Amino acid sequence: MPSSMYGLVGQNIGKSPSQHMFVSAFAALGINASYMIFEPNSIDDLKDFVHGFAGFNVTIPFKESVLEVIDGTDRVAGEIGAVNVVKRNGDMLQGYNTDWIAAVESLKSKTPVLQKKVAIIGAGGAARAIAYGLRGVSDVTIFNRTQERAESLARIFKCSAGKLDEMKGGWDIVVNCTPASDFLPFPASSLANAFVFDMSYRKTKLLETAESAGCRAMDGKEMLARQASLAFGIWTGKKIGWEYMLEKASEALK
Ligand code: NAP
């Protein structure tokens, strides 16, 4: 049987743990497949390559613009407006979103979310995913560097938008959905007593600040593992536990 090619599409992803997670999972289940890292300069560059893939993961900054190069999405990815998994079905490329459930399940495993006051920082693909998952469950406010994008997302998911530089405290949960790693993208005083979820799977200034302020905090490794386990199921129809993916992600990040 010929090898199927899968991959990760994004920018600055050379050190991503995804390749190690998926190559290990394919080998563990005896699936003849490869997984490559692909860093196009723009979504246009991706157009020439997408049809070589049996499936691919999508990461920053293409989770929304990838909609331009695929043929359709399932209902949930369409409602979210962002895709992190693409699967070839015959000649058609179909988009899915496994980030939202991965984000919500990781968060819920550490802290209650029902009717909690949640600040989401960011308005890109990852913010869309968790805002979708928490809509109608938590009391969500979205903050973003580009204010109009926060307002637009708040309209879509029927929640509130705030101004990033005027952000104050009083949150049960603060979720960082930006790639800011060596600075805080909002005032540190807003963290008081909050549970902090930074979607980054590496050490960040935010996690360091939260821990030294005595806040409970989690990084994005469990979310990464959960979304990967779900993506694997979509591509292969086979189950691999997120705990296995977490073990492999942790090996790659050592
Ligand atoms: P994206 O669609 O490109 O969105 C990036 C967001 O971050 C935008 O809201 C952008 O604001 C904001 N931003 C970018 N640079 C910033 C800066 N210097 N200061 C303040 N805000 C900034 O990216 P994404 O796909 O949502 O990913 C966001 C982050 O989440 C990435 O670090 C990604 O690795 C992480 N993530 C992790 C997982 C996981 O499984 N753990 C899953 C998904 C995402 P503007 O609107 O103003 O540009």
Side-chain angles (χ1 to χ4, degrees), residues 58-64 84 99 102 121-128 143-147 149-150 164 176-180 183 185 197-201 219-225 227-228:
V58 187
T59 190
I60 185 169
F62 298 126
K63 286 185 179 179
E64 292 165 86
N84 69 301
D99 275 342
I121 320 300
R128 279 178 170 268
F143 297 87
N144 190 46
R145 179 177 63 178
T146 308
Q147 173 72 18
R149 291 188 77 200
L164 197 52
N176 179 37
C177 310
T178 80
F183 66 98
F197 176 19
D198 192 336
M199 286 194 183
S200 170
Y201 41 77
D219 64 24
K221 277 205 283 296
E222 183 176 322
M223 174 180 172
L224 179 78
Q227 63 77 29

mmCIF file of all heavy atoms in Angstrom, residues 58-64 84 99 102 121-128 143-147 149-150 164 176-180 183 185 197-201 219-225 227-228, ligand 1:
data_model
loop_
_atom_site.group_PDB
_atom_site.id
_atom_site.type_symbol
_atom_site.label_atom_id
_atom_site.label_comp_id
_atom_site.label_asym_id
_atom_site.label_seq_id
_atom_site.Cartn_x
_atom_site.Cartn_y
_atom_site.Cartn_z
ATOM 1 N N VAL A 58 -3.471 22.492 10.562
ATOM 2 C CA VAL A 58 -3.268 23.903 10.229
ATOM 3 C C VAL A 58 -3.015 24.662 11.525
ATOM 4 O O VAL A 58 -3.741 24.477 12.501
ATOM 5 C CB VAL A 58 -4.518 24.505 9.552
ATOM 6 C CG1 VAL A 58 -4.231 25.923 9.069
ATOM 7 C CG2 VAL A 58 -4.990 23.623 8.402
ATOM 8 N N THR A 59 -1.971 25.499 11.505
ATOM 9 C CA THR A 59 -1.717 26.311 12.699
ATOM 10 C C THR A 59 -1.457 27.765 12.314
ATOM 11 O O THR A 59 -1.625 28.146 11.142
ATOM 12 C CB THR A 59 -0.589 25.678 13.561
ATOM 13 O OG1 THR A 59 -0.539 26.378 14.806
ATOM 14 C CG2 THR A 59 0.767 25.723 12.881
ATOM 15 N N ILE A 60 -1.084 28.561 13.317
ATOM 16 C CA ILE A 60 -0.885 29.995 13.153
ATOM 17 C C ILE A 60 -0.021 30.292 11.934
ATOM 18 O O ILE A 60 0.991 29.643 11.779
ATOM 19 C CB ILE A 60 -0.283 30.587 14.464
ATOM 20 C CG1 ILE A 60 -0.175 32.100 14.390
ATOM 21 C CG2 ILE A 60 1.064 29.977 14.807
ATOM 22 C CD1 ILE A 60 0.154 32.752 15.747
ATOM 23 N N PRO A 61 -0.375 31.162 10.991
ATOM 24 C CA PRO A 61 -1.519 32.088 11.029
ATOM 25 C C PRO A 61 -2.620 31.699 10.031
ATOM 26 O O PRO A 61 -3.353 32.573 9.580
ATOM 27 C CB PRO A 61 -0.857 33.399 10.595
ATOM 28 C CG PRO A 61 0.130 32.950 9.534
ATOM 29 C CD PRO A 61 0.596 31.561 9.928
ATOM 30 N N PHE A 62 -2.770 30.416 9.708
ATOM 31 C CA PHE A 62 -3.624 30.051 8.561
ATOM 32 C C PHE A 62 -4.984 29.425 8.913
ATOM 33 O O PHE A 62 -5.679 28.936 8.025
ATOM 34 C CB PHE A 62 -2.860 29.066 7.652
ATOM 35 C CG PHE A 62 -1.609 29.643 7.055
ATOM 36 C CD1 PHE A 62 -0.393 28.996 7.208
ATOM 37 C CD2 PHE A 62 -1.647 30.835 6.334
ATOM 38 C CE1 PHE A 62 0.772 29.520 6.658
ATOM 39 C CE2 PHE A 62 -0.488 31.362 5.780
ATOM 40 C CZ PHE A 62 0.730 30.710 5.939
ATOM 41 N N LYS A 63 -5.351 29.398 10.209
ATOM 42 C CA LYS A 63 -6.572 28.653 10.582
ATOM 43 C C LYS A 63 -7.845 29.231 9.972
ATOM 44 O O LYS A 63 -8.816 28.507 9.780
ATOM 45 C CB LYS A 63 -6.711 28.591 12.104
ATOM 46 C CG LYS A 63 -5.727 27.619 12.703
ATOM 47 C CD LYS A 63 -5.907 27.425 14.182
ATOM 48 C CE LYS A 63 -4.865 26.404 14.634
ATOM 49 N NZ LYS A 63 -4.888 26.109 16.035
ATOM 50 N N GLU A 64 -7.827 30.532 9.692
ATOM 51 C CA GLU A 64 -9.013 31.124 9.054
ATOM 52 C C GLU A 64 -8.826 31.172 7.528
ATOM 53 O O GLU A 64 -9.714 30.790 6.771
ATOM 54 C CB GLU A 64 -9.269 32.517 9.618
ATOM 55 C CG GLU A 64 -9.693 32.465 11.088
ATOM 56 C CD GLU A 64 -9.594 33.810 11.772
ATOM 57 O OE1 GLU A 64 -10.553 34.580 11.677
ATOM 58 O OE2 GLU A 64 -8.536 34.092 12.390
ATOM 59 N N ASN A 84 -8.537 23.526 11.888
ATOM 60 C CA ASN A 84 -7.182 23.105 12.262
ATOM 61 C C ASN A 84 -6.848 21.707 11.755
ATOM 62 O O ASN A 84 -5.728 21.234 11.960
ATOM 63 C CB ASN A 84 -6.962 23.196 13.778
ATOM 64 C CG ASN A 84 -7.758 22.181 14.560
ATOM 65 O OD1 ASN A 84 -8.976 22.152 14.485
ATOM 66 N ND2 ASN A 84 -7.073 21.327 15.296
ATOM 67 N N ASP A 99 -9.797 21.901 17.762
ATOM 68 C CA ASP A 99 -9.259 22.775 18.810
ATOM 69 C C ASP A 99 -10.294 23.083 19.885
ATOM 70 O O ASP A 99 -9.968 23.180 21.067
ATOM 71 C CB ASP A 99 -8.834 24.126 18.210
ATOM 72 C CG ASP A 99 -7.431 24.106 17.635
ATOM 73 O OD1 ASP A 99 -6.653 23.195 17.972
ATOM 74 O OD2 ASP A 99 -7.120 25.026 16.850
ATOM 75 N N ALA A 102 -10.815 20.269 22.330
ATOM 76 C CA ALA A 102 -9.549 20.064 23.046
ATOM 77 C C ALA A 102 -9.340 21.172 24.079
ATOM 78 O O ALA A 102 -8.933 20.910 25.213
ATOM 79 C CB ALA A 102 -8.391 20.047 22.046
ATOM 80 N N ILE A 121 -8.053 36.303 25.434
ATOM 81 C CA ILE A 121 -7.151 37.275 24.822
ATOM 82 C C ILE A 121 -6.783 36.756 23.442
ATOM 83 O O ILE A 121 -6.171 35.693 23.322
ATOM 84 C CB ILE A 121 -5.841 37.471 25.634
ATOM 85 C CG1 ILE A 121 -6.106 37.474 27.143
ATOM 86 C CG2 ILE A 121 -5.104 38.725 25.178
ATOM 87 C CD1 ILE A 121 -7.028 38.532 27.640
ATOM 88 N N GLY A 122 -7.153 37.508 22.400
ATOM 89 C CA GLY A 122 -6.905 37.084 21.021
ATOM 90 C C GLY A 122 -8.229 36.955 20.285
ATOM 91 O O GLY A 122 -9.294 36.806 20.914
ATOM 92 N N ALA A 123 -8.149 37.028 18.959
ATOM 93 C CA ALA A 123 -9.370 36.909 18.147
ATOM 94 C C ALA A 123 -9.073 36.141 16.870
ATOM 95 O O ALA A 123 -9.767 36.289 15.873
ATOM 96 C CB ALA A 123 -9.929 38.295 17.835
ATOM 97 N N GLY A 124 -8.020 35.303 16.912
ATOM 98 C CA GLY A 124 -7.677 34.484 15.746
ATOM 99 C C GLY A 124 -8.357 33.116 15.841
ATOM 100 O O GLY A 124 -9.374 32.950 16.538
ATOM 101 N N GLY A 125 -7.784 32.144 15.149
ATOM 102 C CA GLY A 125 -8.391 30.820 15.073
ATOM 103 C C GLY A 125 -8.581 30.153 16.434
ATOM 104 O O GLY A 125 -9.637 29.571 16.705
ATOM 105 N N ALA A 126 -7.580 30.240 17.300
ATOM 106 C CA ALA A 126 -7.671 29.566 18.601
ATOM 107 C C ALA A 126 -8.712 30.243 19.488
ATOM 108 O O ALA A 126 -9.470 29.575 20.202
ATOM 109 C CB ALA A 126 -6.298 29.577 19.267
ATOM 110 N N ALA A 127 -8.771 31.569 19.432
ATOM 111 C CA ALA A 127 -9.763 32.306 20.222
ATOM 112 C C ALA A 127 -11.174 31.967 19.743
ATOM 113 O O ALA A 127 -12.093 31.769 20.543
ATOM 114 C CB ALA A 127 -9.506 33.811 20.097
ATOM 115 N N ARG A 128 -11.337 31.868 18.444
ATOM 116 C CA ARG A 128 -12.648 31.488 17.888
ATOM 117 C C ARG A 128 -13.072 30.131 18.433
ATOM 118 O O ARG A 128 -14.229 29.921 18.783
ATOM 119 C CB ARG A 128 -12.573 31.382 16.354
ATOM 120 C CG ARG A 128 -12.663 32.701 15.657
ATOM 121 C CD ARG A 128 -12.545 32.523 14.151
ATOM 122 N NE ARG A 128 -12.861 33.760 13.500
ATOM 123 C CZ ARG A 128 -14.073 34.118 13.064
ATOM 124 N NH1 ARG A 128 -15.078 33.291 13.150
ATOM 125 N NH2 ARG A 128 -14.277 35.292 12.525
ATOM 126 N N PHE A 143 -10.823 40.112 24.328
ATOM 127 C CA PHE A 143 -9.911 41.250 24.212
ATOM 128 C C PHE A 143 -8.919 40.934 23.091
ATOM 129 O O PHE A 143 -8.460 39.798 22.994
ATOM 130 C CB PHE A 143 -9.118 41.440 25.507
ATOM 131 C CG PHE A 143 -9.965 41.782 26.709
ATOM 132 C CD1 PHE A 143 -10.540 40.767 27.477
ATOM 133 C CD2 PHE A 143 -10.187 43.103 27.082
ATOM 134 C CE1 PHE A 143 -11.317 41.067 28.589
ATOM 135 C CE2 PHE A 143 -10.961 43.409 28.195
ATOM 136 C CZ PHE A 143 -11.527 42.391 28.951
ATOM 137 N N ASN A 144 -8.583 41.947 22.282
ATOM 138 C CA ASN A 144 -7.614 41.666 21.209
ATOM 139 C C ASN A 144 -6.849 42.927 20.836
ATOM 140 O O ASN A 144 -7.359 44.044 20.965
ATOM 141 C CB ASN A 144 -8.357 41.141 19.968
ATOM 142 C CG ASN A 144 -7.402 40.611 18.925
ATOM 143 O OD1 ASN A 144 -6.473 39.861 19.248
ATOM 144 N ND2 ASN A 144 -7.579 40.997 17.669
ATOM 145 N N ARG A 145 -5.614 42.719 20.381
ATOM 146 C CA ARG A 145 -4.770 43.841 19.937
ATOM 147 C C ARG A 145 -5.530 44.682 18.910
ATOM 148 O O ARG A 145 -5.565 45.887 18.997
ATOM 149 C CB ARG A 145 -3.477 43.259 19.340
ATOM 150 C CG ARG A 145 -2.516 44.281 18.815
ATOM 151 C CD ARG A 145 -1.265 43.610 18.325
ATOM 152 N NE ARG A 145 -1.493 42.702 17.201
ATOM 153 C CZ ARG A 145 -0.547 42.024 16.572
ATOM 154 N NH1 ARG A 145 0.721 42.142 16.987
ATOM 155 N NH2 ARG A 145 -0.814 41.230 15.558
ATOM 156 N N THR A 146 -6.139 44.027 17.931
ATOM 157 C CA THR A 146 -6.956 44.745 16.950
ATOM 158 C C THR A 146 -8.401 44.698 17.442
ATOM 159 O O THR A 146 -9.076 43.663 17.343
ATOM 160 C CB THR A 146 -6.835 44.084 15.557
ATOM 161 O OG1 THR A 146 -5.444 43.948 15.254
ATOM 162 C CG2 THR A 146 -7.528 44.897 14.479
ATOM 163 N N GLN A 147 -8.813 45.807 18.020
ATOM 164 C CA GLN A 147 -10.099 45.882 18.721
ATOM 165 C C GLN A 147 -11.292 45.424 17.864
ATOM 166 O O GLN A 147 -12.177 44.703 18.335
ATOM 167 C CB GLN A 147 -10.281 47.344 19.178
ATOM 168 C CG GLN A 147 -11.601 47.690 19.787
ATOM 169 C CD GLN A 147 -11.747 47.078 21.183
ATOM 170 O OE1 GLN A 147 -10.777 46.682 21.808
ATOM 171 N NE2 GLN A 147 -12.981 46.993 21.647
ATOM 172 N N ARG A 149 -11.525 43.236 15.643
ATOM 173 C CA ARG A 149 -11.660 41.775 15.521
ATOM 174 C C ARG A 149 -12.292 41.196 16.787
ATOM 175 O O ARG A 149 -13.054 40.236 16.720
ATOM 176 C CB ARG A 149 -10.293 41.126 15.273
ATOM 177 C CG ARG A 149 -9.717 41.453 13.913
ATOM 178 C CD ARG A 149 -8.470 40.638 13.647
ATOM 179 N NE ARG A 149 -8.762 39.263 13.295
ATOM 180 C CZ ARG A 149 -7.888 38.259 13.375
ATOM 181 N NH1 ARG A 149 -6.652 38.478 13.798
ATOM 182 N NH2 ARG A 149 -8.231 37.040 13.017
ATOM 183 N N ALA A 150 -11.994 41.786 17.951
ATOM 184 C CA ALA A 150 -12.618 41.322 19.206
ATOM 185 C C ALA A 150 -14.116 41.602 19.141
ATOM 186 O O ALA A 150 -14.939 40.753 19.518
ATOM 187 C CB ALA A 150 -11.995 42.035 20.398
ATOM 188 N N LEU A 164 -8.156 45.917 25.285
ATOM 189 C CA LEU A 164 -7.002 45.211 25.860
ATOM 190 C C LEU A 164 -6.223 46.075 26.859
ATOM 191 O O LEU A 164 -5.923 45.629 27.967
ATOM 192 C CB LEU A 164 -6.090 44.761 24.715
ATOM 193 C CG LEU A 164 -5.070 43.698 24.991
ATOM 194 C CD1 LEU A 164 -5.674 42.468 25.635
ATOM 195 C CD2 LEU A 164 -4.357 43.299 23.705
ATOM 196 N N ASN A 176 -5.092 32.864 27.260
ATOM 197 C CA ASN A 176 -4.274 33.555 26.256
ATOM 198 C C ASN A 176 -4.267 32.769 24.953
ATOM 199 O O ASN A 176 -3.758 31.653 24.896
ATOM 200 C CB ASN A 176 -2.834 33.731 26.755
ATOM 201 C CG ASN A 176 -1.980 34.419 25.702
ATOM 202 O OD1 ASN A 176 -2.451 35.315 24.993
ATOM 203 N ND2 ASN A 176 -0.736 34.009 25.584
ATOM 204 N N CYS A 177 -4.816 33.385 23.915
ATOM 205 C CA CYS A 177 -4.836 32.765 22.570
ATOM 206 C C CYS A 177 -4.006 33.614 21.620
ATOM 207 O O CYS A 177 -4.389 33.784 20.454
ATOM 208 C CB CYS A 177 -6.254 32.663 22.042
ATOM 209 S SG CYS A 177 -7.434 31.943 23.149
ATOM 210 N N THR A 178 -2.901 34.180 22.095
ATOM 211 C CA THR A 178 -1.975 34.909 21.221
ATOM 212 C C THR A 178 -0.615 34.215 21.310
ATOM 213 O O THR A 178 -0.359 33.482 22.265
ATOM 214 C CB THR A 178 -1.790 36.387 21.651
ATOM 215 O OG1 THR A 178 -0.859 36.434 22.739
ATOM 216 C CG2 THR A 178 -3.101 37.039 22.058
ATOM 217 N N PRO A 179 0.271 34.475 20.341
ATOM 218 C CA PRO A 179 1.598 33.839 20.417
ATOM 219 C C PRO A 179 2.579 34.607 21.303
ATOM 220 O O PRO A 179 3.758 34.258 21.341
ATOM 221 C CB PRO A 179 2.049 33.857 18.949
ATOM 222 C CG PRO A 179 1.354 35.034 18.356
ATOM 223 C CD PRO A 179 0.067 35.216 19.091
ATOM 224 N N ALA A 180 2.109 35.641 22.031
ATOM 225 C CA ALA A 180 3.019 36.439 22.882
ATOM 226 C C ALA A 180 3.676 35.507 23.890
ATOM 227 O O ALA A 180 2.976 34.885 24.689
ATOM 228 C CB ALA A 180 2.222 37.522 23.588
ATOM 229 N N PHE A 183 6.370 38.460 26.657
ATOM 230 C CA PHE A 183 5.755 39.622 27.307
ATOM 231 C C PHE A 183 4.283 39.306 27.559
ATOM 232 O O PHE A 183 3.727 38.370 26.969
ATOM 233 C CB PHE A 183 5.884 40.882 26.431
ATOM 234 C CG PHE A 183 5.104 40.807 25.142
ATOM 235 C CD1 PHE A 183 3.852 41.396 25.033
ATOM 236 C CD2 PHE A 183 5.613 40.122 24.032
ATOM 237 C CE1 PHE A 183 3.129 41.307 23.847
ATOM 238 C CE2 PHE A 183 4.900 40.034 22.848
ATOM 239 C CZ PHE A 183 3.655 40.628 22.753
ATOM 240 N N PRO A 185 0.516 40.224 26.988
ATOM 241 C CA PRO A 185 -0.215 41.059 26.026
ATOM 242 C C PRO A 185 -1.348 41.858 26.679
ATOM 243 O O PRO A 185 -2.184 42.417 25.982
ATOM 244 C CB PRO A 185 -0.763 40.036 25.015
ATOM 245 C CG PRO A 185 -0.854 38.756 25.767
ATOM 246 C CD PRO A 185 0.167 38.797 26.865
ATOM 247 N N PHE A 197 -4.967 30.062 31.618
ATOM 248 C CA PHE A 197 -4.748 29.022 30.595
ATOM 249 C C PHE A 197 -4.020 29.700 29.435
ATOM 250 O O PHE A 197 -4.595 30.539 28.743
ATOM 251 C CB PHE A 197 -6.105 28.467 30.152
ATOM 252 C CG PHE A 197 -6.052 27.449 29.033
ATOM 253 C CD1 PHE A 197 -4.899 26.755 28.690
ATOM 254 C CD2 PHE A 197 -7.213 27.156 28.326
ATOM 255 C CE1 PHE A 197 -4.884 25.810 27.667
ATOM 256 C CE2 PHE A 197 -7.216 26.216 27.293
ATOM 257 C CZ PHE A 197 -6.049 25.551 26.963
ATOM 258 N N ASP A 198 -2.734 29.352 29.260
ATOM 259 C CA ASP A 198 -1.975 29.883 28.127
ATOM 260 C C ASP A 198 -1.890 28.762 27.093
ATOM 261 O O ASP A 198 -1.340 27.698 27.379
ATOM 262 C CB ASP A 198 -0.569 30.308 28.586
ATOM 263 C CG ASP A 198 0.139 31.131 27.525
ATOM 264 O OD1 ASP A 198 -0.213 30.997 26.326
ATOM 265 O OD2 ASP A 198 1.041 31.908 27.887
ATOM 266 N N MET A 199 -2.435 29.002 25.902
ATOM 267 C CA MET A 199 -2.469 27.932 24.893
ATOM 268 C C MET A 199 -1.094 27.552 24.367
ATOM 269 O O MET A 199 -0.950 26.537 23.689
ATOM 270 C CB MET A 199 -3.379 28.330 23.738
ATOM 271 C CG MET A 199 -4.833 28.258 24.104
ATOM 272 S SD MET A 199 -5.827 28.337 22.621
ATOM 273 C CE MET A 199 -7.460 28.330 23.345
ATOM 274 N N SER A 200 -0.082 28.372 24.638
ATOM 275 C CA SER A 200 1.267 28.017 24.215
ATOM 276 C C SER A 200 1.695 26.735 24.931
ATOM 277 O O SER A 200 1.362 26.534 26.091
ATOM 278 C CB SER A 200 2.236 29.139 24.576
ATOM 279 O OG SER A 200 3.545 28.678 24.359
ATOM 280 N N TYR A 201 2.430 25.862 24.226
ATOM 281 C CA TYR A 201 2.869 24.650 24.899
ATOM 282 C C TYR A 201 4.307 24.764 25.398
ATOM 283 O O TYR A 201 4.919 23.788 25.785
ATOM 284 C CB TYR A 201 2.659 23.410 24.019
ATOM 285 C CG TYR A 201 3.015 23.609 22.572
ATOM 286 C CD1 TYR A 201 4.344 23.623 22.177
ATOM 287 C CD2 TYR A 201 2.029 23.792 21.615
ATOM 288 C CE1 TYR A 201 4.675 23.802 20.859
ATOM 289 C CE2 TYR A 201 2.354 23.981 20.283
ATOM 290 C CZ TYR A 201 3.672 23.985 19.912
ATOM 291 O OH TYR A 201 4.008 24.176 18.596
ATOM 292 N N ASP A 219 -0.545 25.208 30.800
ATOM 293 C CA ASP A 219 -0.086 25.534 29.448
ATOM 294 C C ASP A 219 -0.938 24.773 28.420
ATOM 295 O O ASP A 219 -1.934 24.146 28.771
ATOM 296 C CB ASP A 219 1.428 25.244 29.294
ATOM 297 C CG ASP A 219 1.750 23.761 29.456
ATOM 298 O OD1 ASP A 219 0.858 22.907 29.228
ATOM 299 O OD2 ASP A 219 2.907 23.437 29.797
ATOM 300 N N GLY A 220 -0.535 24.825 27.144
ATOM 301 C CA GLY A 220 -1.365 24.264 26.078
ATOM 302 C C GLY A 220 -0.997 22.842 25.661
ATOM 303 O O GLY A 220 -1.491 22.367 24.635
ATOM 304 N N LYS A 221 -0.146 22.149 26.466
ATOM 305 C CA LYS A 221 0.286 20.799 26.028
ATOM 306 C C LYS A 221 -0.877 19.805 25.974
ATOM 307 O O LYS A 221 -0.994 19.016 25.044
ATOM 308 C CB LYS A 221 1.391 20.267 26.945
ATOM 309 C CG LYS A 221 2.771 20.765 26.584
ATOM 310 C CD LYS A 221 3.870 19.832 27.040
ATOM 311 C CE LYS A 221 4.160 19.911 28.501
ATOM 312 N NZ LYS A 221 4.669 21.185 28.987
ATOM 313 N N GLU A 222 -1.716 19.838 27.008
ATOM 314 C CA GLU A 222 -2.839 18.877 27.005
ATOM 315 C C GLU A 222 -3.787 19.179 25.837
ATOM 316 O O GLU A 222 -4.275 18.266 25.165
ATOM 317 C CB GLU A 222 -3.592 18.919 28.335
ATOM 318 C CG GLU A 222 -4.706 17.891 28.370
ATOM 319 C CD GLU A 222 -5.446 17.817 29.701
ATOM 320 O OE1 GLU A 222 -4.800 17.947 30.766
ATOM 321 O OE2 GLU A 222 -6.685 17.623 29.663
ATOM 322 N N MET A 223 -4.013 20.470 25.575
ATOM 323 C CA MET A 223 -4.873 20.839 24.430
ATOM 324 C C MET A 223 -4.261 20.337 23.118
ATOM 325 O O MET A 223 -4.940 19.773 22.263
ATOM 326 C CB MET A 223 -5.044 22.360 24.384
ATOM 327 C CG MET A 223 -5.787 22.843 23.162
ATOM 328 S SD MET A 223 -5.960 24.633 23.170
ATOM 329 C CE MET A 223 -6.643 24.877 21.512
ATOM 330 N N LEU A 224 -2.943 20.523 23.001
ATOM 331 C CA LEU A 224 -2.232 20.073 21.794
ATOM 332 C C LEU A 224 -2.435 18.574 21.587
ATOM 333 O O LEU A 224 -2.735 18.108 20.481
ATOM 334 C CB LEU A 224 -0.739 20.393 21.954
ATOM 335 C CG LEU A 224 0.153 19.970 20.811
ATOM 336 C CD1 LEU A 224 0.026 20.955 19.659
ATOM 337 C CD2 LEU A 224 1.615 19.888 21.264
ATOM 338 N N ALA A 225 -2.279 17.822 22.691
ATOM 339 C CA ALA A 225 -2.401 16.358 22.612
ATOM 340 C C ALA A 225 -3.839 15.942 22.287
ATOM 341 O O ALA A 225 -4.062 15.029 21.487
ATOM 342 C CB ALA A 225 -1.964 15.744 23.944
ATOM 343 N N GLN A 227 -6.202 17.751 20.677
ATOM 344 C CA GLN A 227 -6.618 18.071 19.306
ATOM 345 C C GLN A 227 -5.944 17.122 18.319
ATOM 346 O O GLN A 227 -6.534 16.739 17.303
ATOM 347 C CB GLN A 227 -6.411 19.561 18.948
ATOM 348 C CG GLN A 227 -4.970 20.103 18.961
ATOM 349 C CD GLN A 227 -4.141 19.712 17.759
ATOM 350 O OE1 GLN A 227 -4.694 19.502 16.673
ATOM 351 N NE2 GLN A 227 -2.843 19.585 17.935
ATOM 352 N N ALA A 228 -4.705 16.695 18.646
ATOM 353 C CA ALA A 228 -3.979 15.772 17.763
ATOM 354 C C ALA A 228 -4.632 14.393 17.768
ATOM 355 O O ALA A 228 -4.780 13.758 16.716
ATOM 356 C CB ALA A 228 -2.521 15.671 18.204
HETATM 357 P P1 NAP B 1 -3.926 33.504 14.729
HETATM 358 O O1 NAP B 1 -5.187 33.024 14.110
HETATM 359 O O2 NAP B 1 -2.844 34.015 13.852
HETATM 360 O O3 NAP B 1 -4.309 34.647 15.810
HETATM 361 C C1 NAP B 1 -3.284 35.279 16.546
HETATM 362 C C2 NAP B 1 -3.921 36.206 17.572
HETATM 363 O O4 NAP B 1 -2.882 36.716 18.406
HETATM 364 C C3 NAP B 1 -4.618 37.422 16.967
HETATM 365 O O5 NAP B 1 -5.717 37.747 17.772
HETATM 366 C C4 NAP B 1 -3.534 38.502 17.036
HETATM 367 O O6 NAP B 1 -4.060 39.814 17.162
HETATM 368 C C5 NAP B 1 -2.861 38.143 18.344
HETATM 369 N N1 NAP B 1 -1.468 38.577 18.377
HETATM 370 C C6 NAP B 1 -0.475 38.191 17.534
HETATM 371 N N2 NAP B 1 0.682 38.783 17.887
HETATM 372 C C7 NAP B 1 0.400 39.542 18.996
HETATM 373 C C8 NAP B 1 1.193 40.395 19.810
HETATM 374 N N3 NAP B 1 2.509 40.576 19.570
HETATM 375 N N4 NAP B 1 0.591 41.043 20.835
HETATM 376 C C9 NAP B 1 -0.744 40.864 21.081
HETATM 377 N N5 NAP B 1 -1.543 40.074 20.329
HETATM 378 C C10 NAP B 1 -0.962 39.419 19.301
HETATM 379 O O7 NAP B 1 -3.251 32.352 15.621
HETATM 380 P P2 NAP B 1 -3.989 31.137 16.353
HETATM 381 O O8 NAP B 1 -3.994 29.989 15.441
HETATM 382 O O9 NAP B 1 -5.236 31.646 16.959
HETATM 383 O O10 NAP B 1 -2.916 30.769 17.504
HETATM 384 C C11 NAP B 1 -2.716 31.630 18.600
HETATM 385 C C12 NAP B 1 -1.782 30.968 19.619
HETATM 386 O O11 NAP B 1 -2.434 29.840 20.213
HETATM 387 C C13 NAP B 1 -0.484 30.447 19.004
HETATM 388 O O12 NAP B 1 0.575 30.683 19.908
HETATM 389 C C14 NAP B 1 -0.734 28.966 18.846
HETATM 390 O O13 NAP B 1 0.459 28.195 18.880
HETATM 391 C C15 NAP B 1 -1.597 28.698 20.090
HETATM 392 N N6 NAP B 1 -2.450 27.517 19.887
HETATM 393 C C16 NAP B 1 -2.189 26.410 20.627
HETATM 394 C C17 NAP B 1 -2.956 25.276 20.460
HETATM 395 C C18 NAP B 1 -2.697 24.067 21.279
HETATM 396 O O14 NAP B 1 -3.140 22.972 20.886
HETATM 397 N N7 NAP B 1 -2.039 24.180 22.413
HETATM 398 C C19 NAP B 1 -3.996 25.252 19.521
HETATM 399 C C20 NAP B 1 -4.251 26.416 18.809
HETATM 400 C C21 NAP B 1 -3.448 27.539 18.993
HETATM 401 P P3 NAP B 1 -4.483 40.701 15.874
HETATM 402 O O15 NAP B 1 -5.896 40.310 15.553
HETATM 403 O O16 NAP B 1 -4.326 42.086 16.368
HETATM 404 O O17 NAP B 1 -3.505 40.335 14.773
#
